[in-house]
Amino acid sequence: GEDVEQSLFLSVREGDSSVINCTYTDSSSTYLYWYKQEPGAGLQLLTYIFSNMDMKQDQRLTVLLNKKDKHLSLRIADTQTGDSAIYFCAEKDSSYKLIFGSGTRLLVRP
Amino acid sequence: KAGVTQTPRYLIKTRGQQVTLSCSPISGHRSVSWYQQTPGQGLQFLFEYFSETQRNKGNFPGRFSGRQFSNSRSEMNVSTLELGDSALYLCASSFEGAGNQPQHFGDGTRLSIL
């Protein structure tokens, strides 16, 4: 079945770049998403990429997609303390439901 | 434009009771999906409604049900509550649910079962 995997934890210093990685198994996935969850809140859509794209940039966020390896990454430039949160990678399967990874907790140290 | 609104934000129930959660989608969105988030299982898909019809269903027991009204608002019902139903229940809406239409989430309803 479909599966999405992420590393559990990432710690960076303020001002550095953060790279959060994700792998997925469903080769028929057409869209891949990144969401952010802060404590006590729901999921905030950060960005998404169509599977025929290699890269998408949106301000401080860069998404890279390697479809051959089924690998997705989210790079956050100039990481700020406000970026501390849990980041979820998700793929949308053929039935239009989202399959989520377990989330990567990003800690930004001052 | 108002976001996805879920009510109530918090609920405390006891085993055996039933509960109804409400979700108002973004104006103009017709697809509403529900997810359960727990520390152990992560985010799991419950079901999706479009035009008042359940279009997709996840692997949850029949105690979990939902419906959608003509104004696209959706409710989720859980009957005969169990301790394991304690979770954050998230609702998400999109225009029609297609792949290029991202799902936007509400802040969730946190359900605690005593």
Side-chain angles (χ1 to χ4, degrees):
Chain A
E2 308 107 340
D3 194 21
V4 178
E5 292 191 359
Q6 300 178 239
S7 52
L8 291 180
F9 185 74
L10 176 66
S11 177
V12 301
R13 274 203 300 203
E14 191 174 16
D16 288 350
S17 292
S18 307
V19 179
I20 301 171
N21 294 301
C22 168
T23 57
Y24 61 98
T25 56
D26 187 355
S27 57
S28 67
S29 294
T30 53
Y31 286 89
L32 297 137
Y33 300 82
W34 285 102
Y35 285 89
K36 174 184 179 183
Q37 187 175 36
E38 296 182 79
L43 302 180
Q44 175 193 349
L45 175 70
L46 290 176
T47 187
Y48 61 103
I49 188 168
F50 185 46
S51 59
N52 71 350
M53 297 170 66
D54 298 325
M55 185 183 89
K56 180 179 180 182
Q57 188 153 2
D58 186 358
Q59 299 182 334
R60 292 191 298 123
L61 304 179
T62 302
V63 178
L64 293 177
L65 175 61
N66 181 328
K67 195 174 179 183
K68 174 176 167 289
D69 294 338
K70 299 192 185 73
H71 181 266
L72 183 74
S73 67
L74 174 70
R75 178 177 180 269
I76 306 172
D78 187 25
T79 314
Q80 303 297 307
T81 54
D83 295 324
S84 291
I86 301 176
Y87 290 80
F88 290 94
C89 165
E91 61 174 349
K92 187 170 268 192
D93 75 358
S94 55
S95 68
Y96 298 153
K97 71 176 186 271
L98 288 171
I99 309 295
F100 286 91
S102 54
T104 299
R105 184 178 296 274
L106 173 64
L107 175 66
V108 183
R109 309 185 308 274
Chain B
K1 202 177 198 182
V4 177
T5 304
Q6 291 188 246
T7 56
R9 287 295 313 277
Y10 303 94
L11 263 180
I12 299 175
K13 292 285 186 179
T14 57
R15 280 182 297 174
Q17 287 187 310
Q18 75 165 15
V19 68
T20 299
L21 313 181
S22 180
C23 172
S24 293
I26 291 171
S27 178
H29 284 189
R30 294 161 63 197
S31 167
V32 174
S33 299
W34 289 89
Y35 295 83
Q36 181 196 64
Q37 185 178 27
T38 59
Q41 300 297 316
L43 281 152
Q44 293 188 289
F45 171 78
L46 281 155
F47 27 65
E48 185 234 358
Y49 286 86
F50 178 76
S51 291
E52 301 178 66
T53 301
Q54 186 181 85
R55 195 161 60 171
N56 295 290
K57 190 177 187 308
N59 296 323
F60 279 80
R63 299 185 298 106
F64 291 81
S65 62
R67 59 178 176 168
Q68 186 180 35
F69 301 94
S70 58
N71 62 357
S72 294
R73 190 178 71 85
S74 177
E75 286 182 349
M76 188 191 109
N77 184 275
V78 188
S79 62
T80 320
L81 287 165
E82 301 176 359
L83 291 177
D85 297 333
S86 293
L88 180 66
Y89 290 88
L90 292 163
C91 166
S93 76
S94 69
F95 182 56
E96 290 183 336
N100 63 343
Q101 299 161 3
Q103 294 183 11
H104 297 270
F105 285 78
D107 282 335
T109 294
R110 184 162 296 281
L111 175 62
S112 298
I113 312 301
L114 303 180

